[in-house]
Amino acid sequence: MTDSEKHDQDFPSKFTVYVVICWILAAFGGFMFGYDIGISGGVTAMDDFLIKFFPTVHERKLHAKENNYCKYNDQYLQLFTSSLYLAALVSSFGASKACTKFGRKPTILVASVFFLFGAAVSSSAQNIWMLIIGRILLGFGVGFGNEAVPLFLSEIAPVERRGAVNILFQFFVTVGIFFANLVNYGTSKMHPYGWRVSLGLAGVPAVFLFIGSIVITETPTSLIERGNKTAGQSTLRKIRGVDNVNSEFEQIKAASEIARQVRHPYKKLMKRSSMPPLIIGILLQVFQQLTGINAIMFYAPVLFQTVGFKNDASLLSAVITGIVNVLSTLVSIFYVDKIGRRVLLLQACVQMLISQTAIGGILLAFLTTTGSLTKLQAAFVVVLVCMFVMSFAWSWGPLGWLIPSETFPQETRTVGFAFAVSSNMLFTFLIAQAFLSMLCHMRAFIFFFFAGWILKMGLFVYFLLPETKNVPIDLMVERVWKQHPVWKRFMD
């Protein structure tokens, strides 16, 4: 009998329409995150937007002998993108406390409200600081949503489908990026207020998330942890679609009793025995950014303009990468619970390493400071970007969120995941704030910079990352950390 079959017997479940609706509605938090990632790059490539808020950047863009690598280098322009992630970093810790004290469902509701206000302020901005305040409000939404949604999905999913269900978050991130690229492609022709439409349409998925936060159930883990055992058991029956949930209920109840005895979860998280999931969770999120993915997804239109595409063509190329991103994430949904997390991550490291090195090589060899690539060379860069996005989308994208959400024990789950989320936001902020300056100073070598990190990531996965497929979320300590040749030394 396989492990999966044993788990099916221990924790029986079947699909119900209600639980699928809960998965999809909660995953709109990922859609919002993806839309915010995708929309900023296209908006910053629009002339109307630059004329209003960044006229000096627009002037540099118009110069006949502009520097391909430096024409968008402006700290305020980068702050427009990166301020969202700095706000998300700070708010993720407040979101952690909200998740623990009030539950996952109300935390998702708060995220949707921040998103709605952020979209309204951004789209109506009259000056740069109003624009950045709108981005900060969206950042608070990202902080609350990215903390609560992956935890919600991991806790509500049956063990044998936990990977696929959690990856719905990343799938909706990719759909959000793709939708943002489509919107930017359309609004770039709507002069002079196309950028306002792009920023304002963030309110549409925010409304879906708001409605979803009312419709979805609270997770059984959160209910039981906060003392509502009867409601927790009833909810467990409802989402599993079966009456026999005693084994899973008892396991959650036992984990909740341990969690309730921990008065200071941050102090507990700093203990030696808590280090394995904390180190893994933080490094996965940091490495996710050091692949260079957000540099490419934020600034895809800018990047394609740099290598010689005109404005419309660059936005269209970004749409193409968005399609690749969405379709490739489906690969992870179908295979993560079959072949496991490690195989997907290691395969992707090889493919991303080849892609980044080849992009850097082409730009180094053929893109001069004021020239452009030939159409064939530029098309080849787009293909390589798609290869990179493809491998990221079925590996480091979704698994960077999945693994930290499933590996912390219940007593440190929300605070541990907050550290993972804040690490993601810190490095997203740093990359967003620094990328255009790095592109200006490092030029083609920036792609070799990311390639070097990808090599380190592959070694990290090979030696330090344990496999977590088909392991019940509250048995990770016994079945994963205490069995690993390196991490077992940290365990009591």
Side-chain angles (χ1 to χ4, degrees):
M1 184 181 291
T2 66
D3 284 346
S4 181
E5 287 167 341
K6 287 177 186 174
H7 296 152
D8 288 348
Q9 289 186 349
D10 291 344
F11 308 122
S13 65
K14 62 182 182 181
F15 274 117
T16 65
V17 173
Y18 177 69
V19 77
V20 173
I21 289 172
C22 285
W23 296 343
I24 292 171
L25 289 176
F28 265 94
F31 192 111
M32 277 301 317
F33 183 36
Y35 189 88
D36 289 329
I37 289 172
I39 209 69
S40 57
V43 165
T44 53
M46 294 182 189
D47 288 341
D48 294 322
F49 177 81
L50 294 175
I51 289 167
K52 182 165 182 64
F53 297 108
F54 307 99
T56 57
V57 176
H58 183 255
E59 282 299 314
R60 281 206 304 270
K61 186 180 172 184
L62 293 177
H63 290 166
K65 293 293 184 182
E66 64 190 357
N67 185 318
N68 274 315
Y69 293 102
C70 297
K71 60 185 173 184
Y72 289 99
N73 181 24
D74 184 276
Q75 288 300 310
Y76 284 111
L77 181 61
Q78 291 170 116
L79 184 62
F80 162 70
T81 297
S82 63
S83 57
L84 182 149
Y85 303 95
L86 190 59
L89 186 162
V90 174
S91 64
S92 61
F93 290 99
S96 163
K97 197 168 269 301
C99 269
T100 301
K101 190 168 183 179
F102 304 109
R104 286 45 162 166
K105 176 176 174 172
T107 308
I108 294 172
L109 175 64
V110 171
S112 69
V113 173
F114 275 125
F115 281 134
L116 284 167
F117 278 109
V121 174
S122 297
S123 61
S124 59
Q126 297 301 317
N127 56 60
I128 188 171
W129 293 111
M130 192 174 174
L131 191 70
I132 289 172
I133 287 169
R135 293 289 288 178
I136 288 172
L137 288 171
L138 289 170
F140 287 150
V142 168
F144 275 77
N146 286 21
E147 170 74 16
V149 172
L151 288 178
F152 175 89
L153 292 172
S154 283
E155 290 179 349
I156 206 171
V159 60
E160 71 278 4
R161 296 189 182 92
R162 187 177 64 241
V165 171
N166 186 278
I167 288 171
L168 280 175
F169 174 77
Q170 180 66 19
F171 176 70
F172 272 69
V173 171
T174 64
V175 172
I177 293 170
F178 174 60
F179 184 72
N181 289 335
L182 278 180
V183 167
N184 282 334
Y185 184 64
T187 59
S188 64
K189 301 173 179 62
M190 297 169 58
H191 303 292
Y193 298 121
W195 61 271
R196 291 194 187 275
V197 177
S198 288
L199 296 175
L201 283 176
V204 175
V207 168
F208 277 98
L209 185 63
F210 179 80
I211 295 169
S213 66
I214 296 170
V215 172
I216 62 175
T217 184
E218 185 55 88
T219 71
T221 298
S222 180
L223 289 167
I224 295 167
E225 186 179 36
R226 290 180 290 121
N228 300 325
K229 294 178 184 176
T230 303
Q233 189 170 27
S234 172
T235 301
L236 196 57
R237 289 195 189 99
K238 187 175 184 180
I239 63 174
R240 295 291 178 257
V242 296
D243 290 328
N244 180 21
V245 295
N246 290 339
S247 295
E248 189 172 3
F249 175 69
E250 290 300 324
Q251 180 191 293
I252 295 172
K253 194 166 72 169
S256 297
E257 289 300 325
I258 295 171
R260 199 172 290 115
Q261 293 168 19
V262 176
R263 300 291 182 188
H264 305 288
Y266 284 100
K267 189 175 178 181
K268 169 75 173 174
L269 190 65
M270 292 301 112
K271 290 193 173 180
R272 181 178 172 83
S273 60
S274 298
M275 286 297 106
L278 181 62
I279 292 169
I280 292 289
I282 289 175
L283 285 181
L284 278 170
Q285 295 281 12
V286 170
F287 285 152
Q288 187 189 73
Q289 301 314 307
L290 289 173
T291 59
I293 184 63
N294 277 342
I296 285 177
M297 299 313 288
F298 286 149
Y299 301 113
V302 172
L303 180 64
F304 290 134
Q305 281 190 13
T306 296
V307 299
F309 286 82
K310 299 302 181 187
N311 196 47
D312 285 355
S314 68
L315 287 171
L316 183 58
S317 299
V319 170
I320 293 169
T321 60
I323 294 172
V324 170
N325 200 12
V326 172
L327 295 178
S328 300
T329 305
L330 292 174
V331 174
S332 192
I333 290 175
F334 289 124
Y335 288 105
V336 68
D337 291 314
K338 292 185 176 70
I339 65 175
R341 285 65 162 151
R342 281 169 51 87
V343 171
L344 289 170
L345 290 170
L346 287 169
Q347 183 281 330
C349 281
V350 175
Q351 190 167 325
M352 289 192 297
L353 181 63
I354 293 169
S355 302
Q356 290 280 39
T357 305
I359 292 170
I362 290 171
L363 298 190
L364 185 63
F366 301 110
L367 185 65
T368 60
T369 302
T370 57
S372 63
L373 298 181
T374 65
K375 286 185 178 180
L376 183 61
Q377 290 165 346
F380 194 47
V381 168
V382 172
V383 171
L384 288 168
V385 167
C386 287
M387 275 185 61
F388 172 84
V389 169
M390 185 187 303
S391 54
F392 178 88
W394 63 52
S395 60
W396 288 89
L399 301 185
W401 296 102
L402 166 61
I403 295 171
S405 75
E406 67 182 1
T407 48
F408 286 99
Q410 192 172 324
E411 61 266 30
T412 57
R413 189 171 300 154
T414 59
V415 294
F417 194 64
F419 271 91
V421 172
S422 62
S423 299
N424 181 288
M425 294 304 140
L426 173 61
F427 274 78
T428 306
F429 165 75
L430 292 174
I431 294 295
Q433 186 64 27
F435 175 70
L436 292 178
S437 297
M438 289 170 70
L439 182 64
C440 178
H441 291 98
M442 296 176 70
R443 305 192 178 192
F445 287 99
I446 192 170
F447 296 97
F448 299 126
F449 169 80
F450 290 126
W453 279 107
I454 290 167
L455 184 61
K456 294 182 180 71
M457 289 155 49
L459 295 173
F460 159 77
V461 172
Y462 188 80
F463 290 107
L464 294 176
L465 187 70
E467 183 54 69
T468 53
K469 72 167 183 172
N470 290 333
V471 180
I473 195 169
D474 290 312
L475 295 178
M476 288 289 170
V477 172
E478 296 298 325
R479 297 192 186 179
V480 173
W481 304 118
K482 287 187 177 181
Q483 308 300 322
H484 193 272
V486 174
W487 300 119
K488 68 182 181 183
R489 302 171 194 170
F490 287 74
M491 308 311 295
D492 296 330

